[in-house]
């Protein structure tokens, strides 16, 4: 009997305790929490991101203490998720980006203060690295890796890059998987912008998301949290992406930071389920809304997960300037959230409607699948003061005005701990093919008479999604898959410039005609104009060859030689493919760091310096030709005047032409001003690189810094000299 007891105990230990508490990978830990004190099958968590605590901006940390600690004390979330960029890691002029231990000491003190004031305990807090927390960190665990010394995860001995927490309710499991996809060797900014999940990390994430699929009879709602948006997450060496893993493992939502509210408030995106081949080729997503399900309004319901059509990505904004905090709830498997703004001060009451769901930014269920489950309006009301009344209002917007169709008081649900308010409603009455016709608003009043009202949220009881539009800035940062777009854009620019320089030259080589401005005026066509302009460009000695040579240099050779990792580390070479820390060699295979992060240096240089410089040189050459012909026409008129009448006419013509000459010169003057703008832009780019990577422009990147300005100066001088020679 004793041996049997021991065997059973060992079996239970292996089956339950170890999978729940031991790392599934190198340092990754699993944790199982029983949901206590919260309503049945309802859990909520808090997310904060992009704190950017800085020695130069102490107000960020002070506001965090003043606002977040008290708010957490009455919200009482199951988890607090801090999704990266905990410290700023920037100098006062924002140009030098590396770790500052003083900022990490401040972060540690602030978080301990918040933990104490919230009353939650440190185990409820999970923090992960952002790119700012990794600036100039050569290796994880090294002397400059302050995250491993001062973070909450470090104190809780969560040393892995993946950590999972399972919250067990009476009816389901809620799985949260935290991801640190920062570089293993953290480059200094600005070329540290992307998440870099490796194949090993993706396999570890996959294992965490799968952990309950074969071991639990209950449904599992899966949420992942990380720092980087998927638009700024690179593919692994084998081409796999986080999106592939999330869709394959039926993720419900991915919550992140990184972009900040300055790009827009609609930084939400639904990733549609499709074949892996289609996903891998997707470079752009034109809108962020969820596609309507074929069975959205069907009366026959199947037991399917809301994530079967894809998953949501919700970027939350930043604490840095926007003082944003998110409360996210999972009510009966359906996720809703509210973003709270502390820019105007502390919040005494926070309201989060959990049903009906916002038809814009969530995946609402079809009430017909289970009418009894969705027969109540539900809302979480968190308050620092006792609440005396909560009202639910539904408006009909079909007429273009807000018409109240439901105004009813809500009651506190018994056993909810004072947070969940409900009211029954006739859900069938609000069935409509338009997901925007009806909007919900919750209003709460505390015992001091303070009233808090939610925003108007459109809803659809049949699960039809509402459309929302991105601004251009939102599309640019969230709808573009930048790791996939980098090389097409780069080689597109190269193809355009080299074609513009080489194809006309080839045509001129095989053509026996001589193309001039006079020929173009006689026979205006695109080919004649192109070949005339090309002729003038090639007439400036060596400019076209120098531009071609410069482009080839940028494609084949290092751009920079700078301090990419840390102040004490050795210098590295930067190419368009990334940084090379080891010796640069054309003959040996090299490992590149920071691809496609280097695009923030490469593309602006090509688009805002090289291309404008080429256009300026071409225009100056063409304008010089036009002006030269103008001067020659005046000279020929003077020579042809033989009698007094002709002399008089020539004099009048000359006078008229002189009066029009200043008008002809405005093109040259305009592009000379444009040249100054190019100089200024290039100077600012060089200034950033000098301070970011501790370089001397003449020693460490002479061709990058000097080639374009010298070509422009030479072209301006040559085009001006040719005109002076002609006039003489």
């Amino acid at each position: 009997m004793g041996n049997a007891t021991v065997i059973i105990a060992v079996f239970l230990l292996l089956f339950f305790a170890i999978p729940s508490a031991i790392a599934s990978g190198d340092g990754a830990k699993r944790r199982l929490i029983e949901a206590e004190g919260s309503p049945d099958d309802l859990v909520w968590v808090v997310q904060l991101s992009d704190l950017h605590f800085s020695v130069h901006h102490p107000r960020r940390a002070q506001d965090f203490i003043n606002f977040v600690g008290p708010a957490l004390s009455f919200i009482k979330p199951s988890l607090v998720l801090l999704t990266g960029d905990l410290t700023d890691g920037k100098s006062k002029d924002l140009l030098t980006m590396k770790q500052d231990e003083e900022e990490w000491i401040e972060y540690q003190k602030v978080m301990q203060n918040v933990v104490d004031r919230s009353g939650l305990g440190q185990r409820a807090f999970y923090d992960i690295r952002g790119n700012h927390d990794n600036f100039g960190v050569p290796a994880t665990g090294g002397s400059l890796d302050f995250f491993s010394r001062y973070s909450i995860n470090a104190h809780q001995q969560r040393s892995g890059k993946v950590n999972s927490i399972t919250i067990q309710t009476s009816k389901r499991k809620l799985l949260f998987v935290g991801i640190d996809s920062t570089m293993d060797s953290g480059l200094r900014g600005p070329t540290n912008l992307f998440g870099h999940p490796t194949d090993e990390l993706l396999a570890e994430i996959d294992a965490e998301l799968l952990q309950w699929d074969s071991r639990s009879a209950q449904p599992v709602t899966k949420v992942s949290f990380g720092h980087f948006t998927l638009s700024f997450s690179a593919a692994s060496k084998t081409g796999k992406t986080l999106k592939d893993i999330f869709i394959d493992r039926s993720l419900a939502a991915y919550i992140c930071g990184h972009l900040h509210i300055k790009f827009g408030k609609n930084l939400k995106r639904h990733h549609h389920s499709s074949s892996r081949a289609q996903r891998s080729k997707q470079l752009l997503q034109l809108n962020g809304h969820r596609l309507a399900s074929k069975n959205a309004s069907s009366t026959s319901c199947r037991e399917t997960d809301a994530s079967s059509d894809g998953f949501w990505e919700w970027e939350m904004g930043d604490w840095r300037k926007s003082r944003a905090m998110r409360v996210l709830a999972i009510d009966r498997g359906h996720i809703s959230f509210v973003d709270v703004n502390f820019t105007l001060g502390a919040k005494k009451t926070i309201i989060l409607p959990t049903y009906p769901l916002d038809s814009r930014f969530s995946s609402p269920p079809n009430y017909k699948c289970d009418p009894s489950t969705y027969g109540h309006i539900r809302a979480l009301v968190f308050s620092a003061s006792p609440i005396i009344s909560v009202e639910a209002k539904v408006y009909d917007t079909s007429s273009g005005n807000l018409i109240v169709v439901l105004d009813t008081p809500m009651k506190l649900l018994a056993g909810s701990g004072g947070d969940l308010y409900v009211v029954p409603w006739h859900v069938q009455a609000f069935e409509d093919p338009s997901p925007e016709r009806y909007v919900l608003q919750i209003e709460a009043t505390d015992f001091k008479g303070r009233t808090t009202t939610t925003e108007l949220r459109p809803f659809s009881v049949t699960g039809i999604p509402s459309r929302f539009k991105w601004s251009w800035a939102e599309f640019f940062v969230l709808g573009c898959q930048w790791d996939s777009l980098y090389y097409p854009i780069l080689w597109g620019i190269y193809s355009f410039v080299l074609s513009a320089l080489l194809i006309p030259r080839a045509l001129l080589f095989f053509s026996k005609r001589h193309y001039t401005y006079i020929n173009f005026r006689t026979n205006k066509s695109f080919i004649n104009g192109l070949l005339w302009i090309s002729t003038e460009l090639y007439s400036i000695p060596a400019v076209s060859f120098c531009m071609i040579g410069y482009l080839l240099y940028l494609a084949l050779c290092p751009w920079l030689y700078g301090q990419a990792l840390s102040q004490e580390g050795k210098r590295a070479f930067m190419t368009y493919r990334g940084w090379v820390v080891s010796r640069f060699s054309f003959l040996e295979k090299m490992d590149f760091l920071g691809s496609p992060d280097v695009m923030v240096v490469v593309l602006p240089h090509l688009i805002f310096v090289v291309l404008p410089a080429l256009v300026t040189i071409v225009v100056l050459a063409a304008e010089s030709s036009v002006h030269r012909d103008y001067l020659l026409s005046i000279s020929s008129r003077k020579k042809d005047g033989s009698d007094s009448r002709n002399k008089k006419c020539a004099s009048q013509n000359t006078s008229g032409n002189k009066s029009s000459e200043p008008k002809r010169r405005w093109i040259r003057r305009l592009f000379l001003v444009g040249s100054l703008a190019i100089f200024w832009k290039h100077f600012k780019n060089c200034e950033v690189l000098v301070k970011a990577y501790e370089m001397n422009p003449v020693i460490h990147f002479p061709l990058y810094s000097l080639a374009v300005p010298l070509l422009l100066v030479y072209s301006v001088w040559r085009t001006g000299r040719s005109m002076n020679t002609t006039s003489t």
Side-chain angles (χ1 to χ4, degrees):
M1 184 68 180
N3 292 336
T5 303
V6 172
I7 292 172
I8 293 172
V10 171
F11 174 78
L12 292 175
L13 177 65
L14 291 173
F15 192 77
F16 291 105
I18 293 179
S20 299
I22 297 184
S24 62
D26 183 15
K29 286 192 174 181
R30 294 176 177 176
R31 182 183 171 201
L32 179 63
I33 304 172
E34 292 288 341
E36 298 178 357
S38 60
D40 190 34
D41 204 12
L42 171 60
V43 168
W44 56 90
V45 302
V46 164
Q47 180 194 3
L48 294 138
S49 192
D50 296 84
L51 314 184
H52 290 272
F53 288 171
S54 170
V55 294
H56 310 294
H57 302 279
R59 193 67 191 175
R60 297 172 189 170
Q62 189 58 50
D63 285 349
F64 199 86
I65 292 174
N66 294 339
F67 301 148
V68 175
L72 292 178
S73 68
F74 64 78
I75 297 174
K76 297 181 176 62
S78 298
L79 298 172
V80 180
L81 311 175
L82 300 154
T83 52
D85 282 359
L86 312 175
T87 63
D88 199 37
K90 283 188 175 183
S91 59
K92 193 171 184 178
D93 61 7
L94 307 180
L95 298 181
T96 303
M97 306 178 204
K98 57 185 179 181
Q99 299 305 295
D100 188 327
E101 189 171 11
E102 187 177 343
E103 293 177 347
W104 282 101
I105 294 173
E106 180 183 48
Y107 171 76
Q108 184 184 49
K109 291 179 179 178
V110 169
M111 291 313 303
Q112 188 56 54
N113 183 294
V114 169
V115 168
D116 294 340
R117 296 183 72 174
S118 69
L120 298 175
Q122 198 178 71
R123 292 196 73 193
F125 289 74
Y126 282 76
D127 51 9
I128 57 177
R129 289 182 182 88
N131 55 314
H132 282 248
D133 308 317
N134 201 35
F135 283 157
V137 179
T140 302
S143 60
L144 294 177
D145 181 17
F146 299 126
F147 179 90
S148 296
R149 196 182 312 169
Y150 297 105
S151 69
I152 292 175
N153 273 12
H155 285 196
Q156 291 294 318
Q157 298 182 345
R158 307 170 190 144
S159 58
K161 287 205 163 194
V162 180
N163 289 280
S164 68
I165 315 100
T166 302
I167 301 178
Q168 177 70 65
T169 71
S170 61
K171 296 182 179 179
R172 73 185 66 248
K173 287 180 170 63
L174 309 177
L175 175 62
F176 293 84
V177 177
I179 301 168
D180 174 7
S181 61
T182 54
M183 301 179 187
D184 291 331
S185 296
L187 296 170
R188 289 189 183 187
T191 56
N192 187 338
L193 184 64
F194 282 72
H196 291 266
T198 62
D199 286 305
E200 293 77 16
L201 180 65
L202 292 175
E204 195 172 349
I205 296 168
D206 188 63
E208 293 303 304
L209 291 173
L210 276 173
Q211 63 180 280
W212 295 112
D213 285 15
S214 60
R215 297 170 52 208
S216 175
Q218 292 181 318
V220 181
T221 300
K222 303 174 183 179
V223 176
S224 182
F225 60 96
H227 176 67
F228 300 95
T229 59
L230 298 186
S231 57
F232 284 92
S233 292
S236 68
K237 288 185 178 180
T238 60
K240 295 180 181 178
T241 65
L242 283 170
K243 180 178 177 179
D244 295 332
I245 301 297
F246 291 162
I247 287 181
D248 290 343
R249 301 309 171 205
S250 300
L251 192 79
Y254 172 63
I255 56 177
C256 56
H258 191 47
L259 294 183
H260 300 200
I261 291 178
K262 66 181 179 181
F263 289 106
K265 295 184 178 180
N266 286 334
L267 294 174
K268 289 92 178 173
R269 177 183 179 186
H270 190 266
H271 295 267
H272 315 305
S273 180
S274 59
S275 67
R276 176 162 294 188
Q278 290 176 323
R279 297 200 299 264
S280 63
K281 295 178 181 178
Q282 190 178 38
L283 302 179
L284 304 171
Q285 185 170 317
L286 299 179
N287 53 69
H289 60 76
R290 184 172 63 93
L291 298 179
S293 172
K294 294 180 181 180
N295 298 318
S297 59
S298 174
T299 56
S300 61
C301 294
R302 296 176 300 167
E303 185 63 31
T304 57
D305 195 328
S307 60
S308 60
D309 290 333
F311 68 94
W312 278 99
E313 177 183 7
W314 294 316
E315 203 273 356
M316 72 150 291
D318 61 286
W319 179 265
R320 178 177 176 263
K321 285 189 176 181
S322 305
R323 301 296 191 267
M325 181 183 77
R326 172 172 291 165
V327 183
L328 182 144
I330 305 179
D331 187 4
R332 298 167 295 180
H334 305 298
I335 306 176
S336 56
F337 64 88
V338 62
D339 290 336
V340 183
N341 188 300
F342 290 99
T343 53
L344 298 179
K347 300 294 181 182
K348 300 300 182 181
T349 302
I350 297 171
I351 305 172
L352 171 54
T354 65
Y355 186 80
L357 283 84
D358 191 324
S359 58
R360 298 167 299 175
F361 309 130
S362 60
S363 300
N366 188 340
Y367 82 94
K368 296 178 182 179
C369 296
D370 191 356
S372 61
T373 301
Y374 305 113
H376 291 77
I377 297 175
R378 295 160 66 94
L380 286 166
V381 181
F382 310 107
S383 181
S385 303
I387 294 295
I388 60 174
S389 69
V390 178
E391 292 187 5
K393 298 179 181 180
V394 176
Y395 298 91
D396 186 345
T397 65
S398 59
S399 65
N401 299 311
L402 293 177
I403 300 175
V404 179
V405 294
L406 178 66
D407 187 349
T408 181
M410 304 182 73
K411 294 183 178 180
L412 179 65
L413 184 67
S416 67
D419 298 310
L420 181 62
Y421 287 77
V422 300
V423 62
W425 69 330
H426 296 291
V427 62
Q428 298 90 339
F430 298 96
E431 182 177 347
D432 194 85
S434 171
E436 299 173 350
R437 176 177 176 178
Y438 296 108
V439 295
L440 173 69
Q441 187 176 61
I442 307 295
E443 182 180 286
T445 304
D446 66 12
F447 85 105
K448 293 183 179 181
R450 294 176 299 203
T451 298
T452 302
T453 306
T454 65
E455 67 170 353
L456 296 171
R457 294 189 173 207
F459 66 87
S460 170
V461 297
T462 54
I464 302 173
S466 177
R467 295 173 178 266
F468 63 91
K469 293 182 179 180
W470 277 333
S471 67
W472 280 106
E474 290 166 341
F475 165 73
F476 186 79
V477 297
L478 203 62
C480 300
Q481 196 62 39
W482 284 107
D483 73 308
S484 300
L485 284 170
Y486 171 45
Y487 284 112
I489 293 174
L490 174 66
W491 297 125
I493 294 171
Y494 260 79
S495 299
F496 171 76
V497 175
L498 292 176
S499 297
L501 291 173
L502 295 176
I503 292 178
R505 191 167 190 86
L507 293 175
L508 288 172
F509 179 79
F510 291 106
S511 175
K512 297 181 180 180
R513 293 182 57 188
H514 182 63
Y515 292 89
T516 64
Y517 174 62
I518 296 175
N519 299 138
F520 172 68
R521 288 185 62 183
T522 304
N523 182 14
K524 292 184 178 180
S525 68
F526 174 77
I527 295 298
N528 282 344
L530 177 64
L531 294 179
W532 156 60
I533 292 174
S534 300
T535 300
E536 298 303 331
L537 175 64
Y538 302 142
S539 68
I540 306 176
V543 166
S544 60
F545 292 106
C546 288
M547 184 62 75
I548 293 171
Y550 181 63
L551 290 172
L552 292 176
Y553 167 80
L554 294 180
L556 299 175
C557 301
W559 291 36
L560 317 170
Y561 183 56
Q563 200 72 255
L565 291 174
S566 65
Q567 189 171 359
E568 297 81 11
K570 60 182 180 180
R571 291 186 176 272
F573 296 96
M574 195 206 86
T575 75
Y576 76 92
R577 297 177 61 188
W579 288 89
V580 180
V581 179
S582 58
R583 184 171 63 91
F584 186 87
S585 172
F586 291 105
L587 302 177
E588 300 176 5
K589 184 178 180 180
M590 296 174 288
D591 292 325
F592 294 94
L593 299 177
S595 178
D597 306 69
V598 292
M599 65 179 282
V600 299
V601 174
V602 174
L603 294 185
H605 181 63
L606 293 176
I607 295 172
F608 300 115
V609 177
V610 175
L611 278 178
L614 178 60
V615 171
T616 299
I617 292 170
V618 169
V619 172
L620 289 177
E623 195 276 344
S624 173
S625 170
V626 173
H627 192 63
R628 182 173 62 249
D629 287 343
Y630 161 73
L631 294 177
L632 289 174
S633 68
I634 293 177
S635 177
S636 63
R637 288 174 184 175
K638 288 181 178 180
K639 292 179 181 179
D640 291 341
S642 56
D643 53 28
S644 59
R645 184 176 180 180
N646 289 339
K647 288 181 180 180
K648 184 177 180 180
C649 292
S651 176
Q652 291 174 350
N653 288 335
T654 303
S655 176
N657 285 325
K658 284 184 177 180
S659 65
S660 65
E661 182 177 352
K663 297 180 182 178
R664 291 175 177 269
R665 308 306 296 146
W666 69 267
I667 295 179
R668 180 175 176 83
R669 293 181 185 127
L670 176 64
F671 276 84
L672 288 178
V673 173
S675 298
L676 295 178
I678 295 170
F679 286 145
W680 177 251
K681 174 62 178 174
H682 187 54
F683 170 77
K684 298 302 290 184
N685 289 348
C686 292
E687 181 186 23
V688 169
L689 295 173
V690 164
K691 294 190 175 182
Y693 302 114
E694 300 180 20
M695 298 184 295
N696 183 308
V698 178
I699 298 174
H700 298 116
F701 56 115
L703 283 178
Y704 173 94
S705 61
L706 300 176
V708 172
L710 290 177
L711 274 175
L712 270 175
V713 170
Y714 175 72
S715 300
V716 170
W717 173 72
R718 287 294 305 190
T719 54
R721 181 173 177 269
S722 63
M723 289 186 295
N724 292 334
T725 303
T726 303
S727 61
T728 302

